[in-house]
Amino acid sequence: DRATVTAIRTPCLVLAGADDVHPRAISDEIAALVPGCELIPEWKTGPAVDAARARVRAFLAAHTPGA
């Protein structure tokens, strides 16, 4: 539920969904509710793939202990 999601304190990165099972509106809401959450809105095609890959790597480097 939303109260549980707003209590998350773990670093979070959401890659936006775009289908019936993972609708974009849910991705947007999760990103808005989780404090400090990062959202990658476009990541599946074209130049967005490389940009998303770089952001995921940067996110993991920033939030992986000992990295």
Side-chain angles (χ1 to χ4, degrees), residues 1-12 29-37:
D1 69 9
R2 288 175 180 85
T4 300
V5 174
T6 60
I8 294 173
R9 297 296 179 257
T10 303
C12 185
E29 186 171 9
I30 290 170
L33 290 172
V34 175
C37 183

Side-chain angles (χ1 to χ4, degrees), residues 48-61:
V49 173
D50 291 332
R53 186 178 295 123
R55 281 197 59 197
V56 169
R57 286 184 177 139
F59 178 87
L60 291 174

Side-chain angles (χ1 to χ4, degrees), residues 6-29:
T6 60
I8 294 173
R9 297 296 179 257
T10 303
C12 185
L13 176 65
V14 173
L15 281 70
D19 56 44
D20 291 340
V21 179
H22 307 96
R24 173 63 188 266
I26 299 300
S27 302
D28 292 341
E29 186 171 9

